[in-house]
Amino acid sequence: MDRAVLRNLIDGRGPFASVYLDATHDTEDSGKEIDLRWRALRKRLAEQDAGEPTLTALDEAIRERPPAIGRAGRLLIATGDRVLVDEYLTDPPPAPVARVSPLPYLVPLVIAGPRCVPHVVVLVDKVGADLRAVDGAGTTVAAYTVEGRDHPVHKVRGAGWSHRTVQAHADATVTHNIDQVAGETAQLVERTKARLLVLAGDIEPRTLLRRALPDSCAKIAAEVDTGRRAEGSDRDAFERDVRELVAEQWRLEHGKRLERFRAELGRGAGRAVQGLGPTTEALRQANVELLVIDDPAFGDKTVWAGQRPQLVAVEEAELSSMGATEGAPGRADEVLPAAAIAVGADLLAETPELGDPVPLTDGVGALLRHD
């Protein structure tokens, strides 16, 4: 999810109703099963004094959004009469969650959120291309078509002088079109700060496009063999291949960050800490680059939070010593992510898909900005 959206969430006024349920939809009865799960969770929210406007807003969101396809989880966060977050996640929860608290429950976005990085997809042929840019939350932020000249673009058979002339014109037309697509692609990559460029389409124009791209684009480019601009092409296979490339890029980037955290932690005196005490201290000092969560060990621990999100501590006395007069206890899996967002840190979970997890003291640690 976009960092600005997360910041608005933690700056908002609660209480927040957070729901994380199994939204798997793979049988004819899935819709009824999801409805039954929601009714049970709705009852739990009501028992925690969730307001009727909040429950009604969640009712409408559950009912109106189209179902997921296959295995999925769903996270909803609401306050007042508004649903602030409604996200399908990659995995259902180990156990359903329904809680009302001063802060939103954001950990599912870290554990099972979209495996996405900012990327650009280009589907090219000899005439032009379809371009699409997607942000790190999986939202399409730009989509348009670049059309070049369509005559002549096809070479002719034969060895005569006139045939060679037509072939030369066809080559020039294709080159002009590809150069136009390359220019548009480079601008879109730069504008959206894409970290992956996916090239698809017929082999010849795709190869020409890759050669025409500036080095800044070529070094982040990857190709898929599926996908054609022509009608009747297998778009499902194309989109699946794009998703796999994007997810692999996500795993690569986040795996490197976790490797760095693990290496710093292994140094003992490196730029990483673990445990509630050292992590809350680093958050108070705004010295956290990355908050690392080892779910579920992290979940049920209690910490103290002050008036500002980054004022966090293990004991109330720590807050008092800093002059905080309105501290309150809260769940670590709500308070610490909010503090991390407040200081501009990223959040990441120790998961097997990103390498062998390192069990963390208290289920949490931090990569520091400086020693």
Side-chain angles (χ1 to χ4, degrees):
M1 180 171 287
D2 183 81
R3 183 174 293 185
V5 175
L6 292 174
R7 183 64 203 233
N8 288 337
L9 268 176
I10 66 167
D11 286 341
R13 304 189 69 174
F16 296 90
S18 300
V19 177
Y20 186 20
L21 76 159
D22 186 343
T24 299
H25 197 280
D26 55 5
T27 67
E28 291 183 3
D29 295 332
S30 291
K32 293 180 180 178
E33 293 174 0
I34 293 170
D35 185 59
L36 289 173
R37 294 182 196 122
W38 162 237
R39 290 185 189 182
L41 296 177
R42 190 188 198 280
K43 182 178 179 182
R44 285 168 53 181
L45 291 175
E47 291 169 349
Q48 298 172 61
D49 296 325
E52 192 58 36
T54 299
L55 296 174
T56 299
L58 289 168
D59 284 334
E60 293 174 356
I62 292 286
R63 182 175 62 249
E64 293 177 2
R65 188 168 184 187
I69 299 174
R71 178 179 168 84
R74 188 173 179 181
L75 176 70
L76 300 101
I77 299 172
T79 187
D81 62 354
R82 295 183 301 141
V83 175
L84 307 177
V85 173
D86 184 356
E87 293 282 341
Y88 282 120
L89 306 180
T90 55
D91 295 306
V97 174
R99 61 173 73 165
V100 178
S101 51
L103 289 168
Y105 178 49
L106 301 174
V107 168
L109 291 174
V110 183
I111 302 295
R115 285 0 187 192
C116 194
V117 296
H119 63 279
V120 168
V121 180
V122 182
L123 188 58
V124 65
D125 63 13
K126 293 181 178 181
V127 177
D130 301 322
L131 283 74
R132 179 176 81 228
V134 180
D135 65 15
T139 302
T140 298
V141 295
Y144 57 93
T145 294
V146 177
E147 292 289 1
R149 297 194 292 260
D150 63 0
H151 182 79
V153 294
H154 299 293
K155 298 179 182 180
V156 296
R157 297 181 182 275
W161 178 85
S162 61
H163 286 170
R164 290 196 296 273
T165 301
V166 172
Q167 289 173 354
H169 282 309
D171 288 340
T173 300
V174 171
T175 298
H176 171 272
N177 294 344
I178 294 297
D179 286 345
Q180 185 176 350
V181 171
E184 291 285 346
T185 298
Q187 291 181 26
L188 187 59
V189 166
E190 181 178 4
R191 187 166 73 247
T192 60
K193 295 180 172 56
R195 301 201 296 269
L196 173 67
L197 172 60
V198 181
L199 306 180
D202 296 327
I203 294 177
E204 182 181 355
R206 193 199 324 161
T207 302
L208 292 172
L209 174 59
R210 186 156 193 161
R211 292 173 182 168
L213 289 169
D215 289 343
S216 59
C217 292
K219 70 181 182 181
I220 64 169
E223 299 183 34
V224 296
D225 291 327
T226 50
R228 300 291 184 271
R229 296 188 77 202
E231 292 185 9
S233 61
D234 190 347
R235 288 300 178 108
D236 289 342
F238 167 57
E239 295 296 345
R240 182 183 63 248
D241 287 349
V242 170
R243 286 194 299 271
E244 289 177 356
L245 268 180
V246 172
E248 179 56 34
Q249 181 68 21
W250 182 92
R251 286 190 290 269
L252 177 65
E253 292 183 7
H254 287 72
K256 286 181 178 178
R257 299 190 77 182
L258 272 181
E259 285 177 12
R260 183 177 160 214
F261 167 73
R262 293 162 183 160
E264 292 291 338
L265 201 59
R267 288 173 53 197
R271 286 174 51 184
V273 296
Q274 62 176 321
L276 285 175
T279 301
T280 54
E281 181 181 1
L283 286 167
R284 290 196 303 272
Q285 297 171 355
N287 187 24
V288 175
E289 176 184 324
L290 181 71
L291 182 72
V292 182
I293 296 169
D294 177 15
D295 193 73
F298 177 57
D300 295 325
K301 299 185 181 300
T302 298
V303 294
W304 283 78
Q307 302 96 319
R308 290 179 288 122
Q310 63 265 42
L311 281 178
V312 293
V314 178
E315 302 291 343
E316 183 181 14
E318 291 180 86
L319 290 181
S320 299
S321 67
M322 294 181 290
T325 58
E326 299 181 10
R331 291 180 59 100
D333 60 4
E334 294 171 358
V335 173
L336 268 60
I341 293 165
V343 301
D346 292 328
L347 293 85
L348 196 58
E350 282 272 14
T351 59
E353 67 178 318
L354 297 178
D356 294 334
V358 176
L360 299 175
T361 302
D362 299 324
V364 69
L367 181 65
L368 306 181
R369 291 194 168 107
H370 51 79
D371 295 330

